[in-house]
Amino acid sequence: MPISKELVDIPLVPGDWDYIEEGIENVIVSYHGNDPELQGWVLRLTKCDVGADIDVDSHEASLFRNKELQRKQDALEFAASIVSPIVGDEYVLPQRLVTVSSEFLRQVRKNIESRRPKNRLAKYIDSRQSASMLTKEMISRTPANDKGRHSVTVELKPKCMTLPRSEFAALESSVKHRVCWFCMNQYTLYKDGNVSKFCPLELFSGDRDRIARSLDHFAQLPHNNFVIFVDGRSVVDEQGEISDKCVPHWDLLRDTVAGIVQKEELFSRLQLIQRELDSFNIESVLPKYQHALETGALTTGEPGIDAWFEAYAEFRRRLDSGNNDISMVSDCQAVLELILATTLRDVSVLIKFDNWPARSVTDTSSFDFSKYTIGVVDHDPKKLSNIPKYYKLDHDIVATYLQHNPDEANQRPCRED
């Protein structure tokens, strides 16, 4: 089933849905009931600040529901018409919209509360939403009576895939041309100095040994960028690492995933589009964004799908002409290209093995590791209103990195080749 904006009405039972994971904006729950129409699907439920949805019957809540429905329909159109041509239709998972009631949402919220991480409890499922996205399931369980195998899903959030080449960078920001955003951001996220050795440029190197080594580094400090699910549950060992202690045949899984990253065109396409969208950075776009707001070229609202069509078409025309003269690019175009680049940098890649050997299996030769499913998720367009926040974050990341690494000779450059 392709991506569909049509809103379908399917009876939903709260007890049939089980917590899988969540991010900043959404909680993901999977279906384990008996309805064939829902089996093999997960539900993405939008979150809000605790208490923000108290009055679900107010006029404001009604306006919110209509706005949210339009946003989700636009996000599906964005996935079908912008993301799919970039990464390939085969990598974009089927999605559709289903109606949800406030009663259903409140009960699911209550049912999953004990499963949620403590650091996520400032937000919960928003009971004002009238529709939610169903997405093809990529994280699932193996039947309990099947002792010889597991369902294993690997989730990668690669973030930056190239070093920026944009000419718009302040002198103190020139470090961006040597050290990637992910590596610099470690010093902002983890002030105790417990920074990861993982570099996404190694993951995208095309060299299988370097890819495998980068996955080992990822596994040592996975944080939220590298997650492995075994039978629907995320796993880490007692040190908070991903290892053979919690993942059956971890070395085999690492090497198998390295081979997939090396050969699947998804990864090279993501890297290429990030390189192509590198004409502007946040330092140059913030004043363009502010100017566009002042002149009325942009509003404080978010762009509709037509604006995204036009912006992506203009970007392709400029690129295909071989004349990437950005001096003539409008403020609005520069803003939308930056947001598109940010959106694609933030996608997650899921790789699912339905037939992974259990720890008790010593001879894995009968398992076919060439059979897997791969797809991208988390590709809703980012909000234009976040641009000032992105600018501040960018400034803080560079400043914090330079505080810890003031001497260029001691900075570890990221290798892009």
mmCIF file of all heavy atoms in Angstrom, residues 339-384:
data_model
loop_
_atom_site.group_PDB
_atom_site.id
_atom_site.type_symbol
_atom_site.label_atom_id
_atom_site.label_comp_id
_atom_site.label_asym_id
_atom_site.label_seq_id
_atom_site.Cartn_x
_atom_site.Cartn_y
_atom_site.Cartn_z
ATOM 1 N N ILE A 339 15.860 24.105 5.422
ATOM 2 C CA ILE A 339 14.927 23.263 6.168
ATOM 3 C C ILE A 339 14.871 21.858 5.558
ATOM 4 O O ILE A 339 14.807 20.852 6.286
ATOM 5 C CB ILE A 339 13.529 23.901 6.208
ATOM 6 C CG1 ILE A 339 13.562 25.169 7.077
ATOM 7 C CG2 ILE A 339 12.504 22.921 6.747
ATOM 8 C CD1 ILE A 339 13.882 24.907 8.538
ATOM 9 N N LEU A 340 14.905 21.765 4.239
ATOM 10 C CA LEU A 340 14.917 20.451 3.594
ATOM 11 C C LEU A 340 16.178 19.683 3.978
ATOM 12 O O LEU A 340 16.117 18.484 4.306
ATOM 13 C CB LEU A 340 14.842 20.610 2.073
ATOM 14 C CG LEU A 340 14.874 19.308 1.261
ATOM 15 C CD1 LEU A 340 13.755 18.369 1.674
ATOM 16 C CD2 LEU A 340 14.799 19.614 -0.238
ATOM 17 N N ALA A 341 17.324 20.349 3.966
ATOM 18 C CA ALA A 341 18.577 19.696 4.362
ATOM 19 C C ALA A 341 18.519 19.229 5.811
ATOM 20 O O ALA A 341 18.959 18.125 6.147
ATOM 21 C CB ALA A 341 19.750 20.660 4.163
ATOM 22 N N THR A 342 17.949 20.066 6.680
ATOM 23 C CA THR A 342 17.826 19.712 8.102
ATOM 24 C C THR A 342 16.898 18.524 8.291
ATOM 25 O O THR A 342 17.162 17.627 9.105
ATOM 26 C CB THR A 342 17.311 20.921 8.904
ATOM 27 O OG1 THR A 342 18.171 22.045 8.672
ATOM 28 C CG2 THR A 342 17.282 20.626 10.388
ATOM 29 N N THR A 343 15.817 18.495 7.539
ATOM 30 C CA THR A 343 14.863 17.383 7.610
ATOM 31 C C THR A 343 15.530 16.072 7.217
ATOM 32 O O THR A 343 15.408 15.057 7.915
ATOM 33 C CB THR A 343 13.663 17.655 6.689
ATOM 34 O OG1 THR A 343 12.986 18.843 7.126
ATOM 35 C CG2 THR A 343 12.696 16.485 6.688
ATOM 36 N N LEU A 344 16.261 16.078 6.107
ATOM 37 C CA LEU A 344 16.891 14.853 5.614
ATOM 38 C C LEU A 344 18.050 14.416 6.501
ATOM 39 O O LEU A 344 18.355 13.225 6.589
ATOM 40 C CB LEU A 344 17.357 15.057 4.176
ATOM 41 C CG LEU A 344 16.222 15.253 3.165
ATOM 42 C CD1 LEU A 344 16.772 15.669 1.812
ATOM 43 C CD2 LEU A 344 15.388 13.988 3.027
ATOM 44 N N ARG A 345 18.678 15.369 7.163
ATOM 45 C CA ARG A 345 19.765 15.019 8.079
ATOM 46 C C ARG A 345 19.233 14.304 9.320
ATOM 47 O O ARG A 345 19.961 13.558 9.980
ATOM 48 C CB ARG A 345 20.510 16.293 8.508
ATOM 49 C CG ARG A 345 21.778 16.031 9.311
ATOM 50 C CD ARG A 345 22.495 17.314 9.654
ATOM 51 N NE ARG A 345 21.771 18.108 10.635
ATOM 52 C CZ ARG A 345 22.131 19.323 11.036
ATOM 53 N NH1 ARG A 345 23.206 19.889 10.503
ATOM 54 N NH2 ARG A 345 21.437 19.982 11.931
ATOM 55 N N ASP A 346 17.955 14.496 9.613
ATOM 56 C CA ASP A 346 17.396 13.989 10.865
ATOM 57 C C ASP A 346 16.582 12.704 10.698
ATOM 58 O O ASP A 346 15.943 12.265 11.653
ATOM 59 C CB ASP A 346 16.503 15.061 11.496
ATOM 60 C CG ASP A 346 16.676 15.129 13.001
ATOM 61 O OD1 ASP A 346 17.777 14.821 13.488
ATOM 62 O OD2 ASP A 346 15.703 15.478 13.694
ATOM 63 N N VAL A 347 16.608 12.110 9.501
ATOM 64 C CA VAL A 347 15.825 10.883 9.314
ATOM 65 C C VAL A 347 16.458 9.722 10.083
ATOM 66 O O VAL A 347 17.644 9.757 10.432
ATOM 67 C CB VAL A 347 15.717 10.495 7.817
ATOM 68 C CG1 VAL A 347 15.016 11.575 7.032
ATOM 69 C CG2 VAL A 347 17.077 10.150 7.225
ATOM 70 N N SER A 348 15.654 8.708 10.347
ATOM 71 C CA SER A 348 16.144 7.455 10.915
ATOM 72 C C SER A 348 16.048 6.372 9.853
ATOM 73 O O SER A 348 15.097 6.340 9.068
ATOM 74 C CB SER A 348 15.308 7.038 12.134
ATOM 75 O OG SER A 348 15.463 7.954 13.193
ATOM 76 N N VAL A 349 17.028 5.484 9.839
ATOM 77 C CA VAL A 349 17.023 4.337 8.934
ATOM 78 C C VAL A 349 16.783 3.086 9.777
ATOM 79 O O VAL A 349 17.483 2.850 10.769
ATOM 80 C CB VAL A 349 18.354 4.215 8.177
ATOM 81 C CG1 VAL A 349 18.333 2.992 7.260
ATOM 82 C CG2 VAL A 349 18.642 5.482 7.362
ATOM 83 N N LEU A 350 15.799 2.286 9.390
ATOM 84 C CA LEU A 350 15.471 1.047 10.074
ATOM 85 C C LEU A 350 15.813 -0.141 9.187
ATOM 86 O O LEU A 350 15.453 -0.158 7.999
ATOM 87 C CB LEU A 350 13.990 1.003 10.438
ATOM 88 C CG LEU A 350 13.481 2.072 11.417
ATOM 89 C CD1 LEU A 350 11.970 1.976 11.556
ATOM 90 C CD2 LEU A 350 14.145 1.926 12.771
ATOM 91 N N ILE A 351 16.519 -1.114 9.754
ATOM 92 C CA ILE A 351 16.865 -2.349 9.051
ATOM 93 C C ILE A 351 16.329 -3.505 9.891
ATOM 94 O O ILE A 351 16.722 -3.673 11.048
ATOM 95 C CB ILE A 351 18.387 -2.487 8.864
ATOM 96 C CG1 ILE A 351 18.957 -1.259 8.141
ATOM 97 C CG2 ILE A 351 18.727 -3.762 8.091
ATOM 98 C CD1 ILE A 351 20.474 -1.201 8.135
ATOM 99 N N LYS A 352 15.431 -4.286 9.311
ATOM 100 C CA LYS A 352 14.737 -5.322 10.073
ATOM 101 C C LYS A 352 15.064 -6.722 9.549
ATOM 102 O O LYS A 352 14.976 -6.977 8.345
ATOM 103 C CB LYS A 352 13.228 -5.098 9.997
ATOM 104 C CG LYS A 352 12.398 -6.125 10.755
ATOM 105 C CD LYS A 352 10.912 -5.886 10.514
ATOM 106 C CE LYS A 352 10.067 -6.928 11.218
ATOM 107 N NZ LYS A 352 8.636 -6.794 10.870
ATOM 108 N N PHE A 353 15.436 -7.609 10.473
ATOM 109 C CA PHE A 353 15.663 -9.025 10.178
ATOM 110 C C PHE A 353 14.579 -9.832 10.887
ATOM 111 O O PHE A 353 14.499 -9.833 12.121
ATOM 112 C CB PHE A 353 17.036 -9.475 10.676
ATOM 113 C CG PHE A 353 18.193 -8.714 10.091
ATOM 114 C CD1 PHE A 353 18.675 -7.582 10.737
ATOM 115 C CD2 PHE A 353 18.796 -9.113 8.918
ATOM 116 C CE1 PHE A 353 19.748 -6.860 10.214
ATOM 117 C CE2 PHE A 353 19.856 -8.403 8.378
ATOM 118 C CZ PHE A 353 20.337 -7.274 9.031
ATOM 119 N N ASP A 354 13.733 -10.501 10.132
ATOM 120 C CA ASP A 354 12.667 -11.306 10.734
ATOM 121 C C ASP A 354 13.170 -12.659 11.213
ATOM 122 O O ASP A 354 12.474 -13.343 11.966
ATOM 123 C CB ASP A 354 11.534 -11.525 9.726
ATOM 124 C CG ASP A 354 10.700 -10.273 9.516
ATOM 125 O OD1 ASP A 354 10.421 -9.585 10.514
ATOM 126 O OD2 ASP A 354 10.346 -9.975 8.370
ATOM 127 N N ASN A 355 14.359 -13.052 10.769
ATOM 128 C CA ASN A 355 14.846 -14.401 11.064
ATOM 129 C C ASN A 355 16.302 -14.335 11.533
ATOM 130 O O ASN A 355 17.224 -14.739 10.829
ATOM 131 C CB ASN A 355 14.725 -15.269 9.804
ATOM 132 C CG ASN A 355 14.953 -16.737 10.084
ATOM 133 O OD1 ASN A 355 14.636 -17.237 11.169
ATOM 134 N ND2 ASN A 355 15.511 -17.446 9.120
ATOM 135 N N TRP A 356 16.483 -13.791 12.749
ATOM 136 C CA TRP A 356 17.831 -13.661 13.300
ATOM 137 C C TRP A 356 18.084 -14.781 14.304
ATOM 138 O O TRP A 356 17.220 -15.069 15.140
ATOM 139 C CB TRP A 356 18.013 -12.305 13.981
ATOM 140 C CG TRP A 356 19.459 -12.054 14.305
ATOM 141 C CD1 TRP A 356 20.078 -12.198 15.508
ATOM 142 C CD2 TRP A 356 20.474 -11.685 13.376
ATOM 143 N NE1 TRP A 356 21.413 -11.927 15.387
ATOM 144 C CE2 TRP A 356 21.688 -11.606 14.087
ATOM 145 C CE3 TRP A 356 20.473 -11.400 12.003
ATOM 146 C CZ2 TRP A 356 22.892 -11.259 13.481
ATOM 147 C CZ3 TRP A 356 21.670 -11.061 11.399
ATOM 148 C CH2 TRP A 356 22.856 -10.985 12.136
ATOM 149 N N PRO A 357 19.256 -15.446 14.250
ATOM 150 C CA PRO A 357 19.492 -16.601 15.124
ATOM 151 C C PRO A 357 19.525 -16.237 16.600
ATOM 152 O O PRO A 357 20.095 -15.217 16.998
ATOM 153 C CB PRO A 357 20.848 -17.131 14.657
ATOM 154 C CG PRO A 357 21.504 -15.977 13.980
ATOM 155 C CD PRO A 357 20.391 -15.188 13.354
ATOM 156 N N ALA A 358 18.920 -17.084 17.402
ATOM 157 C CA ALA A 358 18.951 -16.916 18.844
ATOM 158 C C ALA A 358 20.343 -17.241 19.378
ATOM 159 O O ALA A 358 21.170 -17.850 18.691
ATOM 160 C CB ALA A 358 17.911 -17.827 19.504
ATOM 161 N N ARG A 359 20.595 -16.840 20.611
ATOM 162 C CA ARG A 359 21.897 -17.074 21.219
ATOM 163 C C ARG A 359 22.233 -18.573 21.299
ATOM 164 O O ARG A 359 23.392 -18.978 21.220
ATOM 165 C CB ARG A 359 21.924 -16.459 22.618
ATOM 166 C CG ARG A 359 23.317 -16.325 23.216
ATOM 167 C CD ARG A 359 23.244 -15.729 24.616
ATOM 168 N NE ARG A 359 22.468 -14.492 24.642
ATOM 169 C CZ ARG A 359 22.955 -13.309 24.293
ATOM 170 N NH1 ARG A 359 24.202 -13.210 23.886
ATOM 171 N NH2 ARG A 359 22.190 -12.229 24.357
ATOM 172 N N SER A 360 21.206 -19.388 21.432
ATOM 173 C CA SER A 360 21.415 -20.832 21.548
ATOM 174 C C SER A 360 21.880 -21.473 20.246
ATOM 175 O O SER A 360 22.360 -22.618 20.246
ATOM 176 C CB SER A 360 20.122 -21.511 22.011
ATOM 177 O OG SER A 360 19.069 -21.248 21.087
ATOM 178 N N VAL A 361 21.735 -20.751 19.128
ATOM 179 C CA VAL A 361 22.133 -21.298 17.818
ATOM 180 C C VAL A 361 23.636 -21.108 17.642
ATOM 181 O O VAL A 361 24.138 -19.984 17.656
ATOM 182 C CB VAL A 361 21.369 -20.595 16.680
ATOM 183 C CG1 VAL A 361 21.859 -21.095 15.324
ATOM 184 C CG2 VAL A 361 19.866 -20.809 16.825
ATOM 185 N N THR A 362 24.347 -22.197 17.488
ATOM 186 C CA THR A 362 25.810 -22.131 17.305
ATOM 187 C C THR A 362 26.210 -22.182 15.847
ATOM 188 O O THR A 362 27.243 -21.635 15.458
ATOM 189 C CB THR A 362 26.501 -23.282 18.057
ATOM 190 O OG1 THR A 362 25.946 -24.528 17.623
ATOM 191 C CG2 THR A 362 26.272 -23.139 19.567
ATOM 192 N N ASP A 363 25.401 -22.797 15.007
ATOM 193 C CA ASP A 363 25.672 -22.872 13.574
ATOM 194 C C ASP A 363 24.655 -22.001 12.848
ATOM 195 O O ASP A 363 23.476 -22.339 12.759
ATOM 196 C CB ASP A 363 25.572 -24.321 13.088
ATOM 197 C CG ASP A 363 25.889 -24.456 11.598
ATOM 198 O OD1 ASP A 363 26.234 -23.428 10.975
ATOM 199 O OD2 ASP A 363 25.778 -25.583 11.065
ATOM 200 N N THR A 364 25.108 -20.855 12.353
ATOM 201 C CA THR A 364 24.206 -19.894 11.711
ATOM 202 C C THR A 364 24.174 -20.035 10.196
ATOM 203 O O THR A 364 23.583 -19.203 9.509
ATOM 204 C CB THR A 364 24.619 -18.457 12.075
ATOM 205 O OG1 THR A 364 25.958 -18.216 11.574
ATOM 206 C CG2 THR A 364 24.591 -18.232 13.577
ATOM 207 N N SER A 365 24.800 -21.074 9.668
ATOM 208 C CA SER A 365 24.942 -21.198 8.210
ATOM 209 C C SER A 365 23.606 -21.375 7.497
ATOM 210 O O SER A 365 23.497 -21.085 6.298
ATOM 211 C CB SER A 365 25.867 -22.372 7.867
ATOM 212 O OG SER A 365 25.348 -23.591 8.383
ATOM 213 N N SER A 366 22.579 -21.831 8.210
ATOM 214 C CA SER A 366 21.277 -22.040 7.566
ATOM 215 C C SER A 366 20.440 -20.766 7.504
ATOM 216 O O SER A 366 19.371 -20.765 6.889
ATOM 217 C CB SER A 366 20.496 -23.134 8.317
ATOM 218 O OG SER A 366 20.219 -22.721 9.652
ATOM 219 N N PHE A 367 20.914 -19.687 8.111
ATOM 220 C CA PHE A 367 20.174 -18.426 8.116
ATOM 221 C C PHE A 367 20.581 -17.584 6.906
ATOM 222 O O PHE A 367 21.771 -17.465 6.596
ATOM 223 C CB PHE A 367 20.432 -17.654 9.406
ATOM 224 C CG PHE A 367 19.767 -18.250 10.614
ATOM 225 C CD1 PHE A 367 20.327 -19.336 11.278
ATOM 226 C CD2 PHE A 367 18.573 -17.726 11.087
ATOM 227 C CE1 PHE A 367 19.715 -19.878 12.396
ATOM 228 C CE2 PHE A 367 17.953 -18.264 12.208
ATOM 229 C CZ PHE A 367 18.519 -19.346 12.856
ATOM 230 N N ASP A 368 19.592 -17.001 6.261
ATOM 231 C CA ASP A 368 19.832 -16.169 5.080
ATOM 232 C C ASP A 368 19.807 -14.697 5.507
ATOM 233 O O ASP A 368 18.739 -14.096 5.651
ATOM 234 C CB ASP A 368 18.766 -16.441 4.022
ATOM 235 C CG ASP A 368 19.041 -15.704 2.721
ATOM 236 O OD1 ASP A 368 20.011 -14.918 2.681
ATOM 237 O OD2 ASP A 368 18.285 -15.905 1.753
ATOM 238 N N PHE A 369 20.989 -14.098 5.659
ATOM 239 C CA PHE A 369 21.069 -12.717 6.140
ATOM 240 C C PHE A 369 20.899 -11.695 5.016
ATOM 241 O O PHE A 369 20.960 -10.492 5.252
ATOM 242 C CB PHE A 369 22.395 -12.496 6.865
ATOM 243 C CG PHE A 369 22.591 -13.431 8.027
ATOM 244 C CD1 PHE A 369 23.647 -14.334 8.064
ATOM 245 C CD2 PHE A 369 21.689 -13.441 9.076
ATOM 246 C CE1 PHE A 369 23.813 -15.203 9.124
ATOM 247 C CE2 PHE A 369 21.833 -14.310 10.142
ATOM 248 C CZ PHE A 369 22.896 -15.202 10.173
ATOM 249 N N SER A 370 20.686 -12.198 3.808
ATOM 250 C CA SER A 370 20.409 -11.273 2.699
ATOM 251 C C SER A 370 18.939 -10.870 2.677
ATOM 252 O O SER A 370 18.542 -9.994 1.900
ATOM 253 C CB SER A 370 20.782 -11.921 1.364
ATOM 254 O OG SER A 370 19.933 -13.025 1.077
ATOM 255 N N LYS A 371 18.134 -11.499 3.524
ATOM 256 C CA LYS A 371 16.718 -11.164 3.596
ATOM 257 C C LYS A 371 16.480 -10.192 4.748
ATOM 258 O O LYS A 371 16.633 -10.553 5.914
ATOM 259 C CB LYS A 371 15.878 -12.432 3.780
ATOM 260 C CG LYS A 371 15.888 -13.355 2.568
ATOM 261 C CD LYS A 371 14.982 -14.562 2.782
ATOM 262 C CE LYS A 371 14.960 -15.456 1.540
ATOM 263 N NZ LYS A 371 14.103 -16.646 1.741
ATOM 264 N N TYR A 372 16.143 -8.992 4.424
ATOM 265 C CA TYR A 372 15.870 -7.944 5.416
ATOM 266 C C TYR A 372 14.976 -6.893 4.779
ATOM 267 O O TYR A 372 14.787 -6.860 3.550
ATOM 268 C CB TYR A 372 17.182 -7.306 5.907
ATOM 269 C CG TYR A 372 18.013 -6.690 4.808
ATOM 270 C CD1 TYR A 372 17.815 -5.369 4.393
ATOM 271 C CD2 TYR A 372 19.005 -7.429 4.161
ATOM 272 C CE1 TYR A 372 18.560 -4.809 3.376
ATOM 273 C CE2 TYR A 372 19.770 -6.884 3.145
ATOM 274 C CZ TYR A 372 19.542 -5.576 2.752
ATOM 275 O OH TYR A 372 20.283 -5.026 1.729
ATOM 276 N N THR A 373 14.425 -6.040 5.609
ATOM 277 C CA THR A 373 13.616 -4.913 5.147
ATOM 278 C C THR A 373 14.298 -3.634 5.608
ATOM 279 O O THR A 373 14.800 -3.564 6.733
ATOM 280 C CB THR A 373 12.190 -4.977 5.735
ATOM 281 O OG1 THR A 373 11.629 -6.272 5.483
ATOM 282 C CG2 THR A 373 11.303 -3.914 5.113
ATOM 283 N N ILE A 374 14.326 -2.630 4.735
ATOM 284 C CA ILE A 374 14.985 -1.366 5.077
ATOM 285 C C ILE A 374 14.084 -0.197 4.681
ATOM 286 O O ILE A 374 13.404 -0.243 3.651
ATOM 287 C CB ILE A 374 16.369 -1.256 4.396
ATOM 288 C CG1 ILE A 374 17.095 0.029 4.816
ATOM 289 C CG2 ILE A 374 16.264 -1.361 2.885
ATOM 290 C CD1 ILE A 374 18.546 0.079 4.366
ATOM 291 N N GLY A 375 14.048 0.825 5.503
ATOM 292 C CA GLY A 375 13.238 1.993 5.187
ATOM 293 C C GLY A 375 13.624 3.187 6.035
ATOM 294 O O GLY A 375 14.346 3.057 7.033
ATOM 295 N N VAL A 376 13.166 4.365 5.627
ATOM 296 C CA VAL A 376 13.425 5.597 6.376
ATOM 297 C C VAL A 376 12.144 6.064 7.054
ATOM 298 O O VAL A 376 11.041 5.889 6.534
ATOM 299 C CB VAL A 376 13.972 6.736 5.482
ATOM 300 C CG1 VAL A 376 15.355 6.412 4.982
ATOM 301 C CG2 VAL A 376 13.041 7.021 4.316
ATOM 302 N N VAL A 377 12.304 6.641 8.237
ATOM 303 C CA VAL A 377 11.185 7.221 8.987
ATOM 304 C C VAL A 377 11.647 8.579 9.525
ATOM 305 O O VAL A 377 12.797 8.978 9.342
ATOM 306 C CB VAL A 377 10.732 6.307 10.146
ATOM 307 C CG1 VAL A 377 10.138 5.010 9.602
ATOM 308 C CG2 VAL A 377 11.888 6.000 11.092
ATOM 309 N N ASP A 378 10.732 9.270 10.191
ATOM 310 C CA ASP A 378 11.037 10.585 10.794
ATOM 311 C C ASP A 378 11.432 11.604 9.730
ATOM 312 O O ASP A 378 12.421 12.335 9.890
ATOM 313 C CB ASP A 378 12.149 10.468 11.848
ATOM 314 C CG ASP A 378 11.797 9.525 12.982
ATOM 315 O OD1 ASP A 378 10.589 9.360 13.250
ATOM 316 O OD2 ASP A 378 12.712 8.949 13.590
ATOM 317 N N HIS A 379 10.654 11.676 8.658
ATOM 318 C CA HIS A 379 10.978 12.616 7.588
ATOM 319 C C HIS A 379 9.928 13.716 7.429
ATOM 320 O O HIS A 379 9.812 14.311 6.363
ATOM 321 C CB HIS A 379 11.172 11.878 6.255
ATOM 322 C CG HIS A 379 10.175 10.775 6.011
ATOM 323 N ND1 HIS A 379 8.817 10.991 5.971
ATOM 324 C CD2 HIS A 379 10.362 9.449 5.822
ATOM 325 C CE1 HIS A 379 8.196 9.849 5.739
ATOM 326 N NE2 HIS A 379 9.102 8.889 5.657
ATOM 327 N N ASP A 380 9.169 13.995 8.482
ATOM 328 C CA ASP A 380 8.261 15.142 8.444
ATOM 329 C C ASP A 380 9.090 16.417 8.305
ATOM 330 O O ASP A 380 10.146 16.551 8.939
ATOM 331 C CB ASP A 380 7.436 15.234 9.726
ATOM 332 C CG ASP A 380 6.483 14.063 9.891
ATOM 333 O OD1 ASP A 380 6.428 13.201 8.992
ATOM 334 O OD2 ASP A 380 5.804 13.991 10.934
ATOM 335 N N PRO A 381 8.632 17.385 7.506
ATOM 336 C CA PRO A 381 9.418 18.612 7.336
ATOM 337 C C PRO A 381 9.574 19.374 8.647
ATOM 338 O O PRO A 381 8.628 19.496 9.430
ATOM 339 C CB PRO A 381 8.605 19.420 6.322
ATOM 340 C CG PRO A 381 7.218 18.842 6.362
ATOM 341 C CD PRO A 381 7.382 17.404 6.716
ATOM 342 N N LYS A 382 10.776 19.854 8.894
ATOM 343 C CA LYS A 382 11.035 20.652 10.086
ATOM 344 C C LYS A 382 10.324 22.007 9.975
ATOM 345 O O LYS A 382 9.973 22.460 8.886
ATOM 346 C CB LYS A 382 12.539 20.869 10.272
ATOM 347 C CG LYS A 382 13.340 19.587 10.419
ATOM 348 C CD LYS A 382 12.944 18.820 11.657
ATOM 349 C CE LYS A 382 13.784 17.568 11.827
ATOM 350 N NZ LYS A 382 13.357 16.761 12.982
ATOM 351 N N LYS A 383 10.149 22.656 11.110
ATOM 352 C CA LYS A 383 9.414 23.916 11.142
ATOM 353 C C LYS A 383 10.328 25.105 10.861
ATOM 354 O O LYS A 383 11.433 25.193 11.413
ATOM 355 C CB LYS A 383 8.754 24.086 12.506
ATOM 356 C CG LYS A 383 7.674 23.046 12.801
ATOM 357 C CD LYS A 383 7.070 23.262 14.186
ATOM 358 C CE LYS A 383 5.987 22.225 14.471
ATOM 359 N NZ LYS A 383 5.399 22.398 15.824
ATOM 360 N N LEU A 384 9.851 26.018 10.018
ATOM 361 C CA LEU A 384 10.601 27.247 9.753
ATOM 362 C C LEU A 384 10.797 28.051 11.028
ATOM 363 O O LEU A 384 11.826 28.718 11.198
ATOM 364 C CB LEU A 384 9.865 28.098 8.716
ATOM 365 C CG LEU A 384 10.232 27.882 7.242
ATOM 366 C CD1 LEU A 384 9.890 26.460 6.804
ATOM 367 C CD2 LEU A 384 9.532 28.905 6.362
#
